[in-house]
Amino acid sequence: MDFSRLRTTSKVTTEWTYPQGAPLRTGWLRVDTAPDHELYWEEYGRADGEPVMFLHGGPGGACAPVMSRFFDPDRYRVILFDQRGCGKSRPTVAADGPRKALAHNTTDYLVADINALRDELGITGKMHVFGGSWGSTLALVYAIRNPDKVASLILRGIFLGSKEDLLYMYQGNAATFADKPYGLTEPGAYIAYPDEWKAFVEVIPAELRDDMMGAYKAIFDSVPTTEPERQRQLQAALAWSVWEGTISNMIPAASDPGKFGEAAFALSFAQIEAHFFAHDLFLKEGEITDGVGALKDVPVHIVHGRFDQVCPLTQASRLVEALEKAGTPPATYVITDAGHSAMEGQTVLALTAIMDGLPRV
């Protein structure tokens, strides 16, 4: 099948090819000390199958069993794990606080963690690396630095994390919102989600809205000593988390933000994201687009929703352009009629079809 020409029909609901299986094994892996970072991992599918390293989004999201359903359990050995500071890994920002859980929490450490988990699980050959959103960023960085360990890259919702990418999502028209809340003064995701944007913006006082990410991070960096201060920090984390969770779907759930509205998830998710974004993802400028030449022997498969408002399609366009300039055009580039979420129907179909069609390793 020619995946470079794959097209899908309009479908919003999710129809999975493979059933939800139980994990073969679960465990924790200590990857650092002071603090003692331990990664929680789960393994699905076939114990002797082709290994797939699944990289979740965020940074600061977490894995869930449903993420194993993109893969044929009779073919693949799927490893899900929660990155530092979030999910079931230890410590977490929510339970242990940012000073502990954000220590030694950078992109370099996360790349090293992938290799540590490979070693722990006895993966000695090449593996497929599958990542969406921030997971696509981390997958690209990992593969550029370790091309000899990667059989293929499967990327969804490309996130390159430039300043303009972040401003589109978090800044928008916030600086003029008080005077002109529905003014289209700057590009941004707010254009498609004005009511949800209002809830996100109004957490921050009008005089601080020139720098929304900075204002939120100041709240996260504070050390609350009273219950009102703790509630203020939680309110900000929930607003940040729910904003992203809502706009991740082309058609948002009417009233249920799901995990994005849960306090423990939001506290970790929002504060880890703000930490990484304040430090330019701990990457050098152009590190990904300038480095893709290292992927000359790694097939790259890309799926991106046309209506993605978390990571607009232009980010995929920039990556494709960089790959083509390096002489390594993507093996697959699918644009679905979907938003950002990996769980939207067309995106599920496209990702599953790609995994089913990969040459066997």
Side-chain angles (χ1 to χ4, degrees):
M1 182 174 183
D2 182 2
F3 288 104
S4 66
R5 298 179 180 276
L6 179 64
R7 294 292 182 269
T8 50
T9 57
S10 293
K11 184 179 287 291
V12 175
T13 58
T14 301
E15 294 181 7
W16 294 97
T17 302
Y18 301 110
Q20 181 62 65
L24 299 174
R25 297 188 295 164
T26 66
W28 277 269
L29 170 64
R30 178 172 291 180
V31 288
D32 203 354
T33 58
D36 293 332
H37 279 290
E38 294 180 288
L39 305 181
Y40 175 75
W41 57 269
E42 298 181 346
E43 188 176 86
Y44 290 83
R46 182 172 177 150
D48 62 350
E50 295 174 44
V52 180
M53 187 68 71
F54 189 104
L55 304 179
H56 68 67
C63 282
V66 69
M67 296 172 181
S68 68
R69 296 185 68 180
F70 295 103
F71 314 102
D72 181 349
D74 292 326
R75 174 178 176 181
Y76 291 112
R77 176 191 181 191
V78 182
I79 296 99
L80 309 182
F81 76 98
D82 295 335
Q83 295 159 28
R84 294 188 182 208
C86 60
K88 294 181 181 178
S89 291
R90 302 182 290 224
T92 67
V93 174
D96 303 285
R99 293 195 178 189
K100 187 173 184 180
L102 294 181
H104 296 180
N105 201 332
T106 69
T107 302
D108 286 349
Y109 280 106
L110 300 188
V111 169
D113 289 348
I114 296 169
N115 279 329
L117 191 54
R118 266 179 59 98
D119 293 343
E120 173 71 9
L121 298 178
I123 300 172
T124 56
K126 292 188 176 184
M127 63 186 184
H128 305 289
V129 180
F130 184 110
S133 194
W134 158 253
S136 76
T137 319
L138 185 56
L140 282 160
V141 175
Y142 178 82
I144 289 167
R145 297 182 187 179
N146 300 272
D148 58 314
K149 297 175 181 176
V150 180
S152 62
L153 272 179
I154 305 91
L155 309 174
R156 186 269 314 165
I158 302 302
F159 177 50
L160 298 179
S162 74
K163 190 69 172 178
E164 67 179 17
D165 299 327
L166 295 173
L167 291 175
Y168 182 91
M169 183 172 173
Y170 295 107
Q171 188 59 43
N173 72 348
T176 58
F177 185 87
D179 297 324
K180 196 176 181 183
Y182 302 113
L184 305 181
T185 55
E186 298 289 344
Y190 72 94
I191 292 171
Y193 301 90
D195 295 335
E196 294 82 2
W197 178 246
K198 182 176 186 290
F200 175 76
V201 170
E202 289 186 342
V203 170
I204 303 301
E207 65 272 17
L208 299 178
R209 292 177 188 163
D210 285 344
D211 180 6
M212 290 292 289
M213 287 184 289
Y216 266 95
K217 191 169 189 303
I219 297 172
F220 299 149
D221 287 347
S222 65
V223 181
T225 58
T226 66
E227 185 58 27
E229 290 173 347
R230 282 188 284 273
Q231 287 302 313
R232 169 69 169 157
Q233 196 170 73
L234 175 58
Q235 177 198 24
L238 286 167
W240 179 292
S241 179
V242 169
W243 166 242
E244 180 165 341
T246 301
I247 71 172
S248 289
N249 293 283
M250 186 170 68
I251 302 175
S255 59
D256 182 10
K259 67 181 181 181
F260 294 94
E262 297 171 1
F265 178 88
L267 282 166
S268 292
F269 181 72
Q271 294 185 77
I272 294 174
E273 283 201 333
H275 166 69
F276 272 76
F277 296 164
H279 293 90
D280 301 317
L281 303 182
F282 298 97
L283 296 172
K284 297 175 184 176
E285 184 176 356
E287 183 168 342
I288 292 174
T289 51
D290 293 343
V292 294
L295 305 178
K296 61 183 179 64
D297 297 321
V298 178
V300 179
H301 304 268
I302 298 170
V303 176
H304 204 111
R306 183 175 298 281
F307 305 105
D308 191 335
Q309 289 297 301
V310 175
C311 300
L313 184 58
T314 50
Q315 297 191 56
S317 300
R318 292 187 342 244
L319 176 60
V320 170
E321 181 180 67
L323 288 165
E324 290 174 343
K325 285 183 177 179
T328 59
T332 307
Y333 181 29
V334 181
I335 300 173
T336 61
D337 290 340
H340 182 68
S341 174
M343 304 302 165
E344 293 195 25
Q346 281 201 28
T347 299
V348 168
L349 289 172
L351 290 169
T352 304
I354 289 169
M355 294 307 304
D356 285 348
L358 291 180
R360 290 184 180 267
V361 175

